Amino acid sequence: MKENMLRLGYGAGFPGTSVGVALREMEGRLEKGSQELLEGARAKKDGFGWFDLPDSPPGGLSDTAEWLKGFDSVVQIGIGGSSLGNRMISSALGFPFYNELTKKERMAPRFYIADNADPEKTSAILGMIDPSRSAFIVASKSGSTAETMANFLFFLDSLERCGVKEPARNIIVVTDERKGVLRSFARETGCRSLPVPETVGGRYSVLSSVGLLSAAVQGVDVGSMLLGASVMKRKLSMRVTISEDPAKVLAAAAIRHYEEGRNILVLMPYSDNLASFSDWFGQLWAESLGKGGWGSTPLGALGATDQHSLLQLFVDGPDDKLFLFLAPLSRKDLVLPRISRTSLNELSYLWGKSMSSMLSQEALSTASALARKGRPVLWLEVPAIDAFHLGGLVFFFEYVTALTGLSLGLNPFDQPGVEQGKRFTYGLMGRSPFEHDADEAREQFRSIMAASAGL
């Protein structure tokens, strides 16, 4: 199983033309992007550090995870790359109702994520925990992310209010090794800390301490995750023809269909465990590639649930989407029983069938319905959703995203469009020296509301 980490079917991904011709047309720029990726990784350029994470286990991770297991609850404080990956791993590999298990059943603390600066959710988390028996992972590479710092201040205050004499003993920061507010806090208080590698950006950081610490606390085999990522890295680094390289095929499909007017990439996993994987991928793809006028919008759709909400649009709506199905080949199963009631005889076609096979047939049917309509479809199979294959899947999508950006002449590791919004927020919240940004934000908003309608 470890030899075949995934398989990509792409015949229907290039409708209306020969697949071979389409790939040959793309080969030159994909080879250029691939060469730039590998050279950047070897030179350890800024942004390329994620490439080495599979073979560089975070120091101190195991001991820190054991320390955290002594608490009743662990709260991950972070946003974007410091929360989406954590939720993705928990959802993919953990029990769906993890916090409802007893501590004996979990053999680990309850786990919460404080990401948005929403007082409803933050206060609800506080209502579910005893701060004195809780630990807080504060993850921000810069140490200045406003939403993360707001939640950090709130929970730090909650520790002090409930009589914890040394609140820093309940806190670990995951941040830049040398600079930033959180690094200064760690030096001042002596709280535990783990570094974020300098050349790793937030959305590529899930295989660092940012994502792996909370996973290890919940009992995830992070060593197996890293091994899976490392095996995937070696496979993607092999010299094979473009038609045999699933990363290049996926990048080629995304670029070609964008150029043909399909500027939405629908990722449709057929597993509840992978619902949050779509959210993690959404940030990775959008923030890495939405720049320079280029922008393939990621859209998550869960099979089979969203067959009953979005599929009508997908089949009969505008032809502006590329569809990527994500299908696990093995999973837990339930066999549907025979119920001897006359009123239920119409359901006899389900008797004795497995729920797993039903979900697989749903995926096949939906992909076929889209292909019949001429919609471009890619089919990605992964042997199982376990730590090893999830690690490989994570690295694969990081690689594809970086390859796509570099092949387009974009920098997949910066996010200039995000920075101005941050500056406006800093100014409006009274942070110096962003006063001018606050004035501009107010002026822009006045123009938005110049003509308004209401009920």
Side-chain angles (χ1 to χ4, degrees), residues 290-301:
K291 55 194 68 167
W294 202 90
S296 170
T297 302
L299 174 63

Side-chain angles (χ1 to χ4, degrees), residues 340-358:
S340 300
R341 290 184 182 274
T342 303
S343 61
L344 299 180
N345 282 347
E346 233 182 277
L347 305 180
S348 61
Y349 74 97
L350 293 173
W351 295 347
K353 306 291 177 58
S354 74
M355 199 172 286
S356 175
S357 67
M358 179 178 180

Side-chain angles (χ1 to χ4, degrees), residues 320-340:
D320 58 357
K321 303 169 189 70
L322 169 65
F323 297 90
L324 174 58
F325 284 71
L326 183 51
L329 294 182
S330 68
R331 65 180 101 223
K332 291 181 180 178
D333 210 352
L334 295 173
V335 176
L336 301 175
R338 178 189 180 99
I339 304 295
S340 300

Side-chain angles (χ1 to χ4, degrees), residues 6-11 14 18-27 30-31 238-250 252 378:
L6 54 80
R7 184 177 69 161
L8 180 68
Y10 57 90
F14 296 88
S18 163
V19 173
V21 169
L23 293 178
R24 283 196 298 274
E25 290 174 352
M26 301 290 297
E27 189 165 12
L30 288 167
E31 281 300 325
M238 293 177 180
R239 303 299 298 176
V240 296
T241 63
I242 185 172
S243 61
E244 297 173 319
D245 186 332
K248 288 180 181 174
V249 169
L250 180 50
L378 299 165

Side-chain angles (χ1 to χ4, degrees), residues 12-346:
F14 296 88
T17 186
S18 163
V19 173
V21 169
L23 293 178
R24 283 196 298 274
E25 290 174 352
M26 301 290 297
E27 189 165 12
R29 51 179 161 173
L30 288 167
E31 281 300 325
K32 182 175 180 296
S34 178
Q35 184 176 354
E36 189 174 344
L37 196 166
L38 296 175
E39 288 176 355
R42 280 195 293 268
K44 302 189 183 303
K45 290 183 179 179
D46 188 37
F48 288 81
W50 59 274
F51 198 85
D52 293 326
L53 292 178
D55 303 310
S56 308
L61 185 78
S62 179
D63 290 343
T64 305
E66 286 303 312
W67 167 70
L68 287 169
K69 288 179 182 180
F71 291 89
D72 290 342
S73 301
V74 170
V75 180
Q76 175 90 14
I77 302 174
I79 197 168
S82 297
S83 66
L84 289 169
N86 306 79
R87 183 176 286 113
M88 177 267 290
I89 296 174
S90 297
S91 298
L93 302 178
F95 183 70
F97 307 104
Y98 174 84
N99 280 352
E100 295 184 31
L101 299 172
T102 65
K103 187 168 185 178
K104 183 178 180 181
E105 290 169 326
R106 289 191 312 269
M107 297 187 294
R110 290 181 297 167
F111 180 62
Y112 301 91
I113 297 177
D115 46 4
N116 203 9
D118 186 325
E120 296 283 352
K121 181 178 178 181
T122 299
S123 60
I125 293 174
L126 183 60
M128 295 300 295
I129 66 174
D130 173 359
S132 68
R133 294 292 309 142
S134 301
F136 301 87
I137 304 170
V138 191
S140 171
K141 183 179 179 181
S142 68
S144 61
T145 309
E147 300 87 351
T148 300
M149 294 302 99
N151 277 316
F152 166 56
L153 292 174
F154 176 83
F155 285 113
L156 177 60
D157 181 65
S158 74
L159 286 168
E160 294 175 347
R161 284 177 177 271
C162 72
V164 177
K165 293 181 179 180
E166 297 183 67
R169 290 192 175 184
N170 294 53
I171 294 171
I172 175 167
V173 300
V174 183
T175 191
D176 187 276
E177 195 164 13
R178 294 191 298 274
K179 60 183 185 295
V181 172
L182 290 180
R183 181 53 58 192
S184 297
F185 176 81
R187 292 194 188 104
E188 178 189 11
T189 64
C191 76
R192 292 176 183 251
S193 69
L194 289 174
V196 180
E198 186 177 3
T199 58
V200 176
R203 60 187 176 274
Y204 289 87
S205 67
V206 66
L207 295 178
S208 73
S209 298
V210 174
L212 296 183
L213 179 57
S214 67
V217 174
Q218 295 168 80
V220 171
D221 185 349
V222 298
S224 186
M225 271 196 75
L226 290 172
L227 177 60
S230 182
V231 171
M232 179 62 72
K233 172 182 170 179
R234 290 198 297 274
K235 286 179 176 290
L236 291 173
S237 299
M238 293 177 180
R239 303 299 298 176
V240 296
T241 63
I242 185 172
S243 61
E244 297 173 319
D245 186 332
K248 288 180 181 174
V249 169
L250 180 50
I255 295 170
R256 182 180 184 89
H257 287 292
Y258 177 83
E259 292 173 347
E260 293 182 352
R262 298 183 184 94
N263 62 347
I264 299 172
L265 174 58
V266 178
L267 177 61
M268 198 163 187
Y270 273 75
S271 167
D272 279 15
N273 288 6
L274 292 177
S276 292
F277 190 91
S278 294
D279 296 331
W280 170 79
F281 169 71
Q283 184 205 9
L284 178 69
W285 190 257
E287 213 168 66
S288 297
L289 305 179
K291 55 194 68 167
W294 202 90
S296 170
T297 302
L299 174 63
L302 179 63
T305 301
D306 285 324
Q307 291 174 204
H308 298 268
S309 60
L310 297 175
L311 186 57
Q312 175 61 40
L313 171 68
F314 292 167
V315 173
D316 282 340
D319 184 13
D320 58 357
K321 303 169 189 70
L322 169 65
F323 297 90
L324 174 58
F325 284 71
L326 183 51
L329 294 182
S330 68
R331 65 180 101 223
K332 291 181 180 178
D333 210 352
L334 295 173
V335 176
L336 301 175
R338 178 189 180 99
I339 304 295
S340 300
R341 290 184 182 274
T342 303
S343 61
L344 299 180
N345 282 347
E346 233 182 277

